[in-house]
Amino acid sequence: MNKDEALKKLQLNELEILKTIAALCDEHGIAWFIDAGTLLGAARHQGFIPWDDDIDIAMLRSDFDRFIEVARGHLPDGYSLHTFGNTPGFAGMFAKVYRDGTVFATRETQEAGCDQGIFVDIFPYDFLEPDERIEAKQRRTAKLWQSASYLWHSKTIVVPHGGGLGRIEAVGCRAVHYLVKGIFSREGIKRRFDRAIVRRELHPDDVVLELAWPNVQGYRVGDLLPVSTLSFEGIDLPVPREWERYLVQMYGDWKKLPEPENRRTHLPLLLRFPDGTSWSSE
C-alpha cells in the first residue's frame, strides 16, 4: 500500500466514524457541525481536502457535555469515546471517537503511552467574556494549559518552523517537557485549563471559541446555529449557519488553493485498518 492509497483508506474509515457520530447525535437531538479544515473541504472540494488526513466536528459546550454523556454508553460496537479523563496519555482538552481495532500512531502518542485508533475529533465551543481583559485572560489560560498538557505528555512536539530554528524549538520542547512534568500533575494541568471555561446559557449574540485551539477570533452563536448544510463526500452535513463568514474569518481567501509545496499530508508513523492491513512511514 502506497501513501496515496493509505490516505484514501484512512479518509474512508474516518467517514464511517463521522456517520456513526451523526446518527448518535440525530437520535439524541445534539446539535453539531463540521469544523475547520473539514468545513473548508466541504465548501471548496465538496469533500475531503485531497491531501487532508482528519475530520473535525464541533458543538457548543452544552451539546458537547450531552454528547460525552450519551456516547459513553450508546456508541455502537466497534467505536469508542476517548477524552482526557478516560484515556491514559490523552493530552487534548476535547474528545475523539476511535474506530476500535485500528491504530493511528504518532511519535507524540507513542511517547505519551496513548494507544490511539483512527479517529474523528470533537471540539467544544465555549463562551467568551465580553470584557476584553477577561477574554484575553481566558485565551491565555486555555492556550497555556493546553500547551502544557501536550508538553507534559510528550517531549516530541510538532514545532512551527523547519531548519535550524525548528531544531532549536524541538530541543526547547524537550527541556520544557521535563520541567512541566516535574512541577505539575496531569490532573492539575486539567484543573487549570478548566478555569477558562464558563458554563452558562448562550444567546445568539454571545461569542464562543474552541478553547483547545484559541488562535482565532470567536464566532457569534447566531453565526453557528441553527446550522446550514453542505455536501461532503456525497453526504449532506451540518455546517455553521454563516459558513462563508466563518471561513473568511479563519482562512481569509479560502477559495484559493495553497501552493503545491504547502499541500502536505501528515500521515502518522503507523496506520492499521479494521481489515488488518497497515501502512508505515518507517
Side-chain angles (χ1 to χ4, degrees), residues 57-88:
I57 71 171
M59 307 168 182
L60 297 184
R61 171 65 66 176
S62 57
D63 285 302
F64 180 84
D65 289 345
R66 288 183 58 226
F67 177 80
I68 296 300
E69 182 180 350
V70 167
R72 282 179 178 141
H74 294 87
L75 280 169
D77 290 344
Y79 299 88
S80 55
L81 174 74
H82 296 266
T83 67
F84 187 98
N86 75 358
T87 302

Side-chain angles (χ1 to χ4, degrees), residues 5 18 36-37 49 90 102 105 117 135 139 142 146 161 163-164 166 185 203:
E5 291 169 337
L18 180 64
I49 297 172
F90 192 103
T102 66
E135 178 199 343
R139 289 175 178 271
Q146 176 64 95
H161 301 96
S185 69
H203 302 97

